[in-house]
Amino acid sequence: MSSSVSPLAPKHVPDMPVIAGVRLATAEAGIRYKNRTDVLLAVMDKGTAVAGVFTKSKCPSAPVEWCRAKLKGGKARALVVNSGNANAFTGKTGRSSTALTAKIAAKAVGCSEDEIFLASTGVIGEPLDASKFDGVLGRLAETAEAGDYLAAAKAIMTTDTFPKVATATVKLGKAKVTINGMAKGAGMIAPDMATMLSFIFTDAPIAPAALQALLKSGVEDTFNAVTIDGDTSTSDTLLAFATGAAAEHGAPKISRATDPRLKAFVKAFNQVLANLSEQVARDGEGARKLVEITVEGAKTKAAARKIAMSIANSPLVKTAIAGEDANWGRVVMAVGKAGEPADRDKLSISFNGIRVAKSGARDPSYDEAQVSEAMKAPEIAIKVSLGLGKGRDRVLTCDLTKEYVAINGDYRS
């Protein structure tokens, strides 16, 4: 966790309302860090529905495997998250650690181990001493209160420079329901489902299958459209919990994701996901520029996504942006290597609304001074027009600076 906050951090942190049926507590368990919280316990009321999406990495962490197995039950009573140790690539020891953590948490909360969900973030390959949770989780279960999401978000940070939270309130039927979310992630970010870790809570009465469908759909144009460095984590976990408490105030019970009464809720739910995923991009390790890449005129949306990701993950594009250089040649390179249909002579490129390339060549009206001034902005929009079809997509990334190398060169030190 850096002592210097990203210059791209949001200027405003929202007040996070209480969600009925959710209580939070944090503590210092001494997993890796000293003098900071590193464990979060979220306790949910009985009957809370759970949904989740996880990394597609072929080397997933032990907590990811645990959650995948328990998700089938559809119910959750507690979430335990630790920072400082990812409990990934830890073999049988890692699996034993997750089992012990779940056992300690289940005893503390008074529920089945099948209703415990786990997530870990931090160094890969080091055994996690789950015995450090013994006693700690018991105290947290006793002191957990409905409220401090900011403290919860701080406890799960690693190289993050600021805690990431978002909230939305919307009507479901005649009742007001709330959606709160938190996330962590700054490096090893090229999600193939979600972010490194993110957790969503709502009091809406939504069945597990419906919640799962909403979550799976919601990540596609939010977390799955963000990249920092092209590296998909072993620990990517996004869990959503629905306590159903709003049913007492008239919210209808939802069993299908296609229920028309969900329209406003889905929009708000996706806004929370989008807000959190943008904050991840804003906190990219060493980032000084937030970069939005839009590709239009592709054969399909999938082709536009692949090309946009090729641009976003290019070290040459990202370092040019760090140097405030509108080097469209590097963008052309990234388009060409993406493996999707592209016609050089139809290609147009713009930086922050200024067209620099048209029809496969430098724009006739190109003005170096004008473009150089535009590249000094903290937010850079790159737009690529392929002229081949109606496919369009957008992804977020950041620049690549010397600080990124410094952070990751010293990560285990």
Side-chain angles (χ1 to χ4, degrees):
M1 184 167 62
S2 173
S3 59
S4 177
V5 177
S6 168
L8 303 173
K11 304 303 181 187
H12 171 71
V13 178
D15 293 326
M16 302 292 287
V18 166
I19 289 182
V22 180
R23 296 181 294 122
L24 305 169
T26 62
E28 297 179 21
I31 300 300
R32 179 177 177 84
Y33 307 113
K34 294 181 179 179
N35 302 317
R36 59 151 286 189
T37 55
D38 59 2
V39 61
L40 160 67
L41 175 67
V43 182
M44 279 78 73
D45 285 354
K46 291 181 179 179
T48 295
V50 62
V53 285
F54 308 94
T55 183
K56 292 180 182 177
S57 168
K58 300 301 182 184
C59 299
S61 68
V64 165
E65 291 183 322
W66 174 275
C67 288
R68 279 178 176 155
K70 304 307 175 187
L71 200 63
K72 299 172 184 177
K75 299 296 180 183
R77 288 295 314 284
L79 166 70
V80 181
V81 188
N82 75 269
S83 57
N85 186 314
N87 195 11
F89 201 63
T90 46
K92 293 181 179 179
T93 299
R95 292 188 286 274
S96 296
S97 294
T98 57
L100 178 57
T101 304
K103 182 177 181 180
I104 295 170
K107 181 179 179 181
V109 174
C111 68
S112 165
E113 293 170 24
D114 290 339
E115 297 175 297
I116 302 295
F117 287 79
L118 308 172
S120 299
T121 181
V123 174
I124 293 171
E126 293 186 4
L128 173 63
D129 183 3
S131 67
K132 291 187 175 182
F133 297 129
D134 200 7
V136 173
L137 295 183
R139 292 194 299 274
L140 292 181
E142 292 175 357
T143 59
E145 296 179 341
D148 202 342
Y149 286 86
L150 197 61
K154 288 180 179 178
I156 66 175
M157 291 164 60
T158 51
T159 58
D160 304 63
T161 70
F162 61 88
K164 301 164 183 64
V165 294
T167 186
T169 301
V170 68
K171 279 287 194 73
L172 181 58
K174 296 181 179 180
K176 181 180 74 173
V177 297
T178 302
I179 306 163
N180 284 352
M182 68 181 83
K184 68 83 49 191
M188 201 184 288
I189 303 289
D192 203 2
M193 44 52 64
T195 182
M196 285 186 72
L197 298 181
S198 186
F199 310 104
I200 311 296
F201 302 88
T202 181
D203 53 357
I206 302 178
L211 189 62
Q212 182 67 38
L214 294 180
L215 191 63
K216 186 176 180 180
S217 173
V219 298
E220 285 309 312
D221 289 330
T222 58
F223 283 117
N224 278 357
V226 170
T227 180
I228 300 300
D229 46 26
D231 288 332
T232 295
S233 173
T234 60
S235 307
D236 285 343
T237 297
L238 171 54
L239 294 169
F241 303 93
T243 69
E248 297 179 5
H249 303 288
K253 294 183 179 180
I254 303 296
S255 59
R256 296 178 297 107
T258 54
D259 192 316
R261 294 172 295 182
L262 272 180
K263 185 176 181 180
F265 179 89
V266 171
K267 182 178 180 180
F269 186 80
N270 290 343
Q271 284 175 344
V272 169
L273 296 179
N275 187 316
L276 291 172
S277 61
E278 180 175 315
Q279 289 187 57
V280 170
R282 287 180 175 276
D283 204 18
E285 289 171 340
R288 293 294 179 268
K289 307 275 189 182
L290 176 68
V291 185
E292 178 186 63
I293 298 167
T294 302
V295 174
E296 63 181 20
K299 286 283 190 180
T300 63
K301 175 181 169 65
R305 169 67 61 87
K306 190 171 180 181
I307 292 169
M309 279 293 187
S310 178
I311 299 167
N313 283 324
S314 166
L316 289 176
V317 172
K318 291 158 74 71
T319 50
I321 294 169
E324 301 181 342
D325 177 14
N327 191 331
W328 67 85
R330 294 180 178 183
V331 176
V332 173
M333 172 278 299
V335 171
K337 74 171 185 176
E340 294 295 331
D343 185 332
R344 178 199 60 205
D345 296 334
K346 292 182 178 181
L347 195 62
S348 295
I349 300 167
S350 66
F351 287 81
N352 275 5
I354 303 171
R355 194 170 62 192
V356 297
K358 178 186 177 184
S359 302
R362 186 172 70 179
D363 193 286
S365 62
Y366 178 78
D367 183 331
E368 180 76 25
Q370 181 190 27
V371 178
S372 295
E373 185 62 30
M375 293 302 291
K376 295 178 181 178
E379 298 184 10
I380 304 296
I382 299 176
K383 184 176 180 180
V384 174
S385 299
L386 298 173
L388 300 177
K390 297 182 179 180
R392 185 182 188 278
D393 210 346
R394 162 191 173 274
V395 302
L396 292 176
T397 189
C398 60
D399 55 347
L400 180 60
T401 67
K402 294 177 182 178
E403 190 177 351
Y404 178 90
V405 178
I407 291 169
N408 286 283
D410 295 337
Y411 185 58
R412 293 207 311 143
S413 301

